[in-house]
């Protein structure tokens, strides 16, 4: 009986605190993403207007995020029936967006990002609870254009 | 040392290829971080200890790769890729590899920005 209460308490804590933390994280992600809407980030291998590039450099961003106890429980239930596991898709979505933001924050003054790659790996905890935490790493080449180039202004990318 | 993950360095001409260079490191997490991560696992969210650990090891791997490239006399590494794998319980290997190349030395132009300080180099 005692164990049941213990598990229930963990579930409730996971549900309340976990949901609150996720909501706060999403709010922060959305707010920070607004600051980078004009920075073009592409997975193209070559850059337009190459002769005006001043500097090119590798930038990386990474984050390790884990899922809360309640969601892990919900996912294990969902695994019986199959289908999309929403609790994990929000985990990966948060991790990807966060690592992308960290990458962009490292080179906030650059004009363009090319060859953007996203790498996901799970982290083994050694024990039985190795599901649930995920590392996402993003890397790209940041480019700085000279003022002469029309790509110096990022919003002109389409032109 | 210029590092990019594109096949060439945009705006610069490659003169010579020196072949593959790589750097890797295997790191284990420590007990303190593990405890904190275990607590954090209940409520979800970022595991800062692990993020730092992996970031540090990645920087180390890049450093080793750059060192290898410098020994070959290269001044840039292009087409850099990362790969992570867990070799044992609680330990992760981080591998970073690329192609060492020699870029054409350019005459210093007036609008070249100053190089980044070392802490921001990656």
């Amino acid at each position: 009986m005692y164990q049941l209460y213990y598990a229930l308490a963990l579930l409730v804590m996971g549900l309340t605190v976990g949901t609150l933390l996720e909501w706060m994280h999403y709010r922060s992600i959305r707010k920070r993403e607004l600051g980078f809407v004009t920075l073009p980030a592409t997975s193209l291998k070559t850059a337009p207007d190459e002769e005006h590039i001043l500097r090119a450099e590798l930038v990386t961003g990474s984050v390790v995020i884990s899922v809360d106890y309640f969601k892990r429980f919900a996912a294990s239930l969902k695994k019986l029936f199959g289908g999309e596991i929403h609790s994990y898709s929000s985990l990966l979505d948060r991790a990807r967006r966060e690592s992308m933001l960290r990458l962009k924050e490292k080179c906030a003054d650059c004009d363009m990002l090319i060859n953007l790659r996203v790498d996901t790996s799970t982290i083994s905890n050694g024990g039985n609870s190795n599901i649930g935490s995920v590392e996402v790493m993003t890397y790209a080449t940041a480019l700085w254009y000279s003022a002469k180039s029309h790509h110096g202004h990022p919003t002109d990318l389409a032109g | 040392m210029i590092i990019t993950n594109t096949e060439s360095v945009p705006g610069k001409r490659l003169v010579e290829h020196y072949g593959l260079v790589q750097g890797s490191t295997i790191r284990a997490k420590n007990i303190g971080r593990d405890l904190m991560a275990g607590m954090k696992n209940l409520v979800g969210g970022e595991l800062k200890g692990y993020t730092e650990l992996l970031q540090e090891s990645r920087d180390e791997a890049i450093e080793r790769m750059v060192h290898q490239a410098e020994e070959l006399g290269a001044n840039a590494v292009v087409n850099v890729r990362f790969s992570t794998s867990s070799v044992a319980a609680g330990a992760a290997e981080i591998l970073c590899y690329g192609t060492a190349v020699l870029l054409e030395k350019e005459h210093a132009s007036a609008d070249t920005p100053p190089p980044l300080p070392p802490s921001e180099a990656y």
Side-chain angles (χ1 to χ4, degrees):
Chain A
M1 204 58 200
Y2 169 73
Q3 272 186 332
L4 187 69
Y5 284 134
Y6 181 65
L8 263 177
L10 283 183
L11 277 181
V12 170
M13 189 175 83
L15 180 63
T16 50
V17 185
T19 310
L20 183 73
L21 282 178
E22 186 182 88
W23 179 77
M24 277 161 64
H25 191 201
Y26 262 126
R27 201 177 58 166
S28 138
I29 286 176
R30 274 195 291 268
K31 201 175 129 201
R32 284 148 67 210
E33 270 178 350
L34 279 181
F36 290 108
V37 281
T38 55
L39 175 64
T42 70
S43 56
L44 297 173
K45 284 190 173 173
T46 51
D49 206 8
E50 277 206 7
E51 60 271 25
H52 290 305
I53 292 171
L54 291 179
R55 204 170 87 209
E57 210 164 82
L58 183 79
V59 279
T60 65
S62 71
V63 67
V64 181
I65 289 193
S66 88
V67 74
D68 62 62
Y69 195 80
F70 177 78
K71 285 192 165 182
R72 211 169 300 154
F73 175 73
S76 64
L77 277 187
K78 191 71 196 266
K79 266 190 237 163
L80 297 176
F81 307 104
E84 190 187 353
I85 303 178
H86 288 281
S87 48
Y88 283 165
S89 29
S90 86
L91 169 82
L92 282 156
D93 178 52
R94 274 160 75 195
R96 295 229 167 86
R97 284 162 81 174
E98 176 71 38
S99 75
M100 202 92 80
L101 277 171
R102 287 191 182 174
L103 177 145
K104 288 175 179 170
E105 276 159 6
K106 276 192 192 169
C107 57
D109 60 332
C110 78
D111 296 313
M112 192 183 291
L113 289 165
I114 57 169
N115 209 5
L116 195 110
R117 302 284 160 121
V118 185
D119 218 356
T120 313
S121 52
T122 49
I123 306 216
S124 159
N125 265 337
N128 45 8
S129 62
N130 60 345
I131 324 159
S133 69
V134 71
E135 198 225 0
V136 173
M137 182 213 186
T138 319
Y139 55 108
T141 300
L143 301 176
W144 283 263
Y145 280 96
S146 69
K148 277 171 275 178
S149 160
H150 63 276
H151 284 300
H153 198 260
T155 44
D156 288 347
L157 180 67
Chain B
M1 182 70 64
I2 298 171
I3 307 170
T4 69
N5 72 340
T6 50
E7 275 153 34
S8 61
V9 180
K12 302 236 166 54
R13 212 165 62 83
L14 299 188
V15 189
E16 214 170 322
H17 281 266
Y18 293 108
L20 195 75
V21 283
Q22 52 164 315
S24 80
T25 174
I26 300 179
R27 291 281 179 101
K29 52 202 174 95
N30 63 39
I31 286 183
R33 277 172 169 161
D34 224 16
L35 270 177
M36 283 305 292
M39 309 268 261
K40 202 70 201 269
N41 250 330
L42 294 178
V43 289
E46 185 184 353
L47 310 176
K48 287 217 172 65
Y50 288 175
T51 308
E52 271 165 34
L53 175 80
L54 284 156
Q55 196 58 50
E56 275 165 26
S57 2
R58 208 156 271 138
D59 289 348
E60 171 92 43
I62 295 177
E63 213 169 273
R64 287 183 184 168
M65 181 186 74
V66 166
H67 183 71
Q68 221 177 66
E70 273 167 356
E71 276 183 350
L72 293 169
N75 61 2
V77 184
V78 297
N79 215 358
V80 170
R81 298 276 182 269
F82 292 96
S83 115
T84 314
S85 52
S86 49
V87 282
E93 192 216 10
I94 286 158
L95 171 70
C96 163
Y97 56 100
T99 306
V101 293
L102 187 69
L103 298 178
E104 196 178 43
K105 288 270 189 306
E106 49 161 2
H107 26 274
S109 77
D111 51 8
T112 306
L116 279 185
S119 59
E120 290 173 47
Y122 310 130

